[in-house]
Amino acid sequence: MILRRLGQGLACLLALIVLAAIVTASRGDPTLYPADGADSQEIELVSHGWHSGLVIPREVLTGEGAGTALRNIATRFRAYPGIEFGWGEARFYRATPTLAQFDLRLALEALFTPGGRDGVVQVVGLEDDARTSFPHSDIVPIRVSKLGLARLLARLDASFRLADNAPIEGGPGLYGPSLFYAGEGRFSAANVCNHWAARLLNAAGLPITPVLDTHPAGLLLDLRWRAGVKALPAANLSKP
């Protein structure tokens, strides 16, 4: 009897998750994605295992859709051809460069504080391509249209809080030549870093499923199923 009730409870939970996935799924915009190869730009989703971000060529950060924050960052990181952007809860993000530094108390506070917690954006300058820069991460190249890119950049620009018409610097980032910036938006269990990355891609026209996108593995699976993109092969770390 106990096992039957447990099974029924798990079945109900699974049904609720599936229903939530269906209800919250976004169809994307077929006028923006897939992109025409003659009028497109490649960006990359990077999954670090617990956190995901986007790598965007620095040269496009002053183009259509970019605002004050991105233009400032394009100048600040002018020595780097690629820029990685990530968003997260201010305290937990800074304290967790890898899973080895995971702090359960900070994680629970970040996820379940009523009203959410302040967000920050990490900006990292990349001297090399994403695969070379992040040999242990999943890299998903995504080709977006010119208009899709403009809409993505506009949404990304809105992720930064401004003061005196400039993004607010918040100290060194977690790795490489990087900085934290004060972010807009509230971090919570319903709005984690992977949702943020997914919504940027949705602005560019890609379909997303927020329930799946809560975890990086689900986001990668979602993008493969619904947008037809997949990760690059793993880096060959045996090369001399």
Side-chain angles (χ1 to χ4, degrees), residues 5 16 50 58 73 100 103 105 127 175 178 183 224 232:
R5 289 181 177 177
L16 287 174
W50 63 275
R58 185 193 58 81
I73 287 164
D103 185 311
R105 179 182 62 83
E127 296 180 351
Y175 47 80
S178 59
R224 182 165 187 169
L232 293 174

Side-chain angles (χ1 to χ4, degrees), residues 182-231:
E184 292 287 2
R186 305 290 289 175
F187 185 99
S188 70
N191 188 36
V192 300
C193 57
N194 305 301
H195 292 141
W196 175 85
R199 289 175 182 130
L200 288 176
L201 296 176
N202 185 236
L206 278 74
I208 62 170
T209 311
V211 171
L212 282 180
D213 302 339
T214 301
H215 190 275
L219 175 56
L220 295 178
L221 186 62
D222 187 23
L223 291 174
R224 182 165 187 169
W225 279 352
R226 303 193 63 208
V229 296
K230 58 183 179 180

Side-chain angles (χ1 to χ4, degrees), residues 41-56:
Q41 172 68 56
E42 184 174 277
I43 61 174
E44 291 159 305
L45 176 82
V46 181
S47 170
H48 298 295
W50 63 275
H51 173 87
S52 61
L54 290 179
V55 173
I56 301 175

